[in-house]
Amino acid sequence: MLDRRRAAAVIIRDGMLLMVKERGIGPTGRHDGQEYWTLPGGGIAPGESAEQAVMREVLEEVGLLPLSAAFLYDVPYPSGWTACYRVQVADGEPRLGADDDLDCDCPRMTGLTWVPLPRASSAESAPLMVPSLLMATPGRADPA
């Protein structure tokens, strides 16, 4: 695990969790590597708080207007620790952000979907189930 700090959004609507599909760098050095599902999010820029980063990433990656962000927990990620936030968003349908100009070793977004959450005893406890759901999501693999 690297020492890069990240922020990720737990966005839940109608019992569904918003996930982003990404493709990592492959053996050719291009974005042709393994695909995996993850929470919307990304690196924290210098001088930016984790909360500011998650709000920016939600708008950039899934095109939803973030209204608020509440810290949930830190989780390990292959590129470093990730601060996860429960993000409330304005009404609207998510759309995949454009990342055509990526010339970095960042993953490339290739899709998004709503994943049903296991039945929770309350809406407040659903975000706490996300780490175990992510580990059990079929096709999830750590980026190369």
Side-chain angles (χ1 to χ4, degrees):
M1 185 166 59
L2 304 174
D3 194 24
R4 180 174 181 236
R5 293 283 302 162
R6 299 181 71 258
V10 175
I11 301 170
I12 298 172
R13 184 184 285 168
D14 299 325
M16 309 281 271
L17 173 69
L18 185 60
M19 300 285 291
V20 175
K21 191 175 198 179
E22 295 183 341
R23 180 179 296 277
I25 299 293
T28 65
R30 302 181 66 192
H31 292 96
D32 59 355
Q34 194 171 31
E35 285 192 320
Y36 55 94
W37 290 96
T38 190
L39 295 171
I44 301 171
E48 185 177 49
S49 71
E51 184 177 341
Q52 290 168 328
V54 78
M55 302 282 270
R56 174 183 50 77
E57 291 285 350
V58 166
L59 189 57
E60 289 175 2
E61 289 194 0
V62 298
L64 293 172
L65 178 64
L67 303 174
S68 65
F71 178 77
L72 294 170
Y73 37 71
D74 284 317
V75 295
Y77 196 79
S79 61
W81 282 94
T82 297
C84 292
Y85 286 80
R86 172 73 159 100
V87 178
Q88 299 292 332
V89 295
D91 290 340
E93 287 305 310
R95 59 177 166 64
L96 195 59
D99 62 0
D100 294 335
D101 60 344
L102 282 182
D103 57 356
C104 63
D105 60 358
C106 306
R108 179 171 304 279
M109 297 178 296
T110 61
L112 52 84
T113 194
W114 291 99
V115 176
L117 286 169
R119 280 204 130 131
S121 57
S122 70
E124 292 78 30
S125 66
L128 302 176
M129 303 168 85
V130 171
S132 59
L133 176 68
L134 289 175
M135 295 305 150
T137 301
R140 183 186 187 280
D142 294 333

